[in-house]
Structures are given as structure tokens and as C-alpha cells.
Amino acid sequence: MKMDFSQFKREIYKRFGINLDGYKEKQLKRRIKSLMMSQGASDFGEYLKMLIQDENQWMKFLDKVTINVSEFFRNPDIFSYLENTILPESFEGKRQVKIWSAACSNGSEPYSLAMIMEDVFPGVSYEIIATDIDENILDAARKGVYDVRMLKNVTPRRLKKYFTQDDEGLYKINEDLKKNISYRKHDLLVDKYGMGYDLIVCRNVTIYFTKETQFDIYTKMNASLKPDGVLFIGATENIIQHRELGFEKISHWFYKKSAYLLQRGDEKNGQVIG
Ligand SMILES: C[S@@+](CC[C@H](N)C(=O)[O-])C[C@H]1O[C@@H](n2cnc3c(N)ncnc32)[C@H](O)[C@@H]1O
């Protein structure tokens, strides 16, 4: 059956629960089309059939849509700023903090955050909820085994303290660093958001979404933050409508929940993860 891209997206949502409407259409269509052709399907109807019948094809499709590129301490200067300025100010006086690493990919982001918590806030108890839409990448994150190329921003001291090298030269995260991290499947476009976060890290994923979807995501994240909570975004990202969304820009890439919209945020909050 011939079908256009809009129908294809509707079917994907109906059958697999993934909402492709929130993604920037041109980019997404180009990526899906190139994969579709390389797999020998000539139109979206035929391709949909392949995805339904062959789990391998579905995995490949998900891989193409999600783009899992990540690394430890991605943009190291920004992570240093987080570690040395933003967090000491925001976590001052706190005995316990809750962090959400949204779209965490292979775990390098939540593990980087855990290393900072261990090193800079030894007396603070912390919980990191790390979520992604892609189950396969979450499995890889739980295993925590990495090629040296992903570790170029990890200091030798941290490499020694938090990793063990195996016989093949791969680096495995020590079990102790995993104890405060829980990995869960969560779709930013479909699932409900948790609440009570001191810090939300959402980097290099909203770039794939439409402006309306970005607005919706940041509105929900605002509601998910504690009154003094901070949102940390990607190096190439910027929230232009931050005031309207209830954020105060504390510096580039860091936004704090503003006091005047607290009530609206608390009322709109959802519950599930966290
Ligand atoms: C480029 S990676 C970013 C990883 C990490 N945050 C970083 O900055 O290095 C994008 C991640 O977003 C995830 N993703 C894509 N669409 C998503 C959605 N709708 N909900 C949750 N995660 C999604 C992908 O599976 C992928 O792991």
C-alpha cells in the first residue's frame, strides 16, 4: 500500500507508540528515506511492513531516528563551569539532591554527573534518574563499558578512580559509581514527567524537535524542577523564550526556575518518572 510521510508517522505512533510529529520534519524525512532506500524499500508503505515484520529493521530505524552520539563531559569547559560555579551555588546547603539526565544516551552524561557529585559534594546524598527513548542504548548505559575515544575529557585521576580497564582495553565504570543512578525508558514527547528535580540536564536532543515541541518540553521541565532548580542545555542551544517559560537565564546554557511562575509550574506538574 502506497502511503505518504504523514500517514507513515501516524502508523508508527499507532503501532510503536513513538511520536515522530515532534521532530523537525525535513531532517527526519531525509534520514528515514535514506535508511529506507538502503534497506530496499521503495515507499513508506512497504517500509512500514518491513518494520512490523522484522525486529532488526525496527532496531535500525530506531537507531537512525534517535542519534545516540555522546561522550563523557561533553563540552568540557561547560562541564567545568557546571562543576566549579553553577552547582556549588545551586546546591549550597543541600543535603540531598535529585538530578534528571534526560535523553542520556549511552550513560556518559549521567556517569559524568555522578563523578562530579562524588568529588565535589561528598556529603550530599544524590539520585540521578537517567532516561532515554531507546532501550538498546539504555542497556549499554547500564553496562557502562566504553572505548577510550569517548573518554578524552576524563582526567587521568578520574579515569583511575572510576574505571577499570579490561583485557581488550575497554574501560568499565566501577559498580560503586552506578549505585545512585537509575536508568529508565522515557519518551520526552509522550510520557509524563517526574517532579522535584534540583537539576535537569537536557542536552543535544531538543535540536531534533520542532519549536512547538521544544516549548512544550521546556514548559514541562520547568514544572518538574524544584523552586530553585536549574536546567542545563546543550552547547549549541539557547532558550529564547525563557521568560515566558518561567526561567531566568543565569548564564549561557543554564536556566533557573523563576519565582513568579512557581504556582503555575506546580499546578501543571505530572508524575511518573522519579
Ligand atoms: C545526541 S544524543 C544526546 C546524549 C547526551 N544528552 C549528550 O548530550 O551527549 C540524543 C539522545 O536523545 C534520545 N532521544 C531521541 N528522541 C527522544 C525522545 N523523544 N525522548 C527521549 N529521548 C530521545 C536518543 O535516543 C539519544 O540517545
Side-chain angles (χ1 to χ4, degrees):
M1 184 184 62
K2 279 233 173 245
M3 86 175 31
D4 64 18
F5 192 54
S6 302
Q7 276 174 297
F8 176 77
K9 286 194 292 184
R10 272 201 300 280
E11 287 297 321
I12 292 288
Y13 185 56
K14 222 164 74 191
R15 288 161 192 276
F16 300 100
I18 295 204
N19 178 5
L20 297 176
D21 273 339
Y23 293 75
K24 286 178 185 154
E25 172 142 337
K26 251 192 175 157
Q27 289 182 1
L28 182 73
K29 193 168 170 185
R30 188 169 12 92
R31 286 210 305 276
I32 294 178
K33 250 186 150 171
S34 86
L35 177 64
M36 174 177 105
M37 312 278 244
S38 74
Q39 300 306 301
S42 53
D43 71 84
F44 289 117
E46 190 185 340
Y47 190 40
L48 179 72
K49 234 162 121 194
M50 276 169 85
L51 298 180
I52 295 167
Q53 286 165 357
D54 184 348
E55 198 180 336
N56 254 337
Q57 283 293 347
W58 171 246
M59 289 305 168
K60 277 188 194 162
F61 174 82
L62 205 56
D63 229 38
K64 195 72 171 182
V65 171
T66 52
I67 307 178
N68 297 131
V69 181
S70 190
E71 64 180 15
F72 284 80
F73 299 95
R74 189 171 186 170
N75 312 111
D77 293 349
I78 306 178
F79 259 94
S80 290
Y81 189 57
L82 172 80
E83 175 169 351
N84 299 316
T85 305
I86 298 288
L87 291 187
E89 280 170 17
S90 338
F91 289 177
E92 202 198 335
K94 295 197 179 190
R95 308 285 308 263
Q96 182 171 338
V97 294
K98 192 166 151 186
I99 298 170
W100 179 17
S101 168
C104 66
S105 186
N106 60 13
S108 34
E109 183 176 279
Y111 290 130
S112 302
L113 296 166
M115 286 182 224
I116 292 178
M117 288 309 298
E118 294 290 332
D119 291 348
V120 185
F121 304 95
V124 177
S125 81
Y126 69 94
E127 181 188 6
I128 300 175
I129 319 286
T131 65
D132 201 281
I133 193 176
D134 183 348
E135 295 268 25
N136 289 331
I137 207 72
L138 286 172
D139 279 344
R142 287 185 191 102
K143 286 196 188 95
V145 180
Y146 301 95
D147 187 278
V148 70
R149 277 170 300 184
M150 304 213 33
L151 304 171
K152 64 179 196 305
N153 302 326
V154 181
T155 61
R157 189 189 62 77
R158 281 182 169 155
L159 208 55
K160 196 158 168 243
K161 187 170 172 193
Y162 296 113
F163 294 82
T164 307
Q165 202 173 9
D166 71 12
D167 299 341
E168 288 154 36
L170 296 173
Y171 285 82
K172 190 171 182 348
I173 291 278
N174 292 340
E175 288 306 310
D176 210 40
L177 195 72
K178 295 181 178 174
K179 65 184 189 303
N180 298 323
I181 306 178
S182 36
Y183 288 102
R184 301 175 198 172
K185 181 171 186 249
H186 180 268
D187 184 338
L188 287 163
L189 308 191
V190 174
D191 296 323
K192 288 199 174 154
Y193 288 27
M195 59 194 296
Y197 294 104
D198 298 279
L199 173 70
I200 297 179
V201 181
C202 181
R203 310 185 70 217
N204 306 300
V205 63
T206 63
I207 38 170
Y208 302 115
F209 301 145
T210 62
K211 286 271 166 277
E212 296 73 29
T213 304
Q214 290 179 8
F215 194 92
D216 193 40
I217 287 175
Y218 293 136
T219 302
K220 289 190 201 153
M221 286 190 169
N222 183 280
S224 292
L225 284 167
K226 279 194 189 142
D228 54 355
V230 170
L231 171 66
F232 174 23
I233 63 170
T236 58
E237 296 159 11
N238 182 22
I239 308 180
I240 296 163
Q241 296 147 302
H242 59 89
R243 273 195 207 89
E244 205 181 319
L245 285 158
F247 287 107
E248 178 194 328
K249 187 166 184 163
I250 44 177
S251 73
H252 221 108
W253 314 295
F254 297 98
Y255 296 84
K256 194 172 181 163
K257 181 163 174 162
S258 354
Y260 71 92
L261 272 177
L262 283 185
Q263 198 142 14
R264 173 179 157 235
D266 288 344
E267 274 166 16
K268 286 186 97 178
N269 228 332
Q271 234 328 2
V272 159
I273 63 157

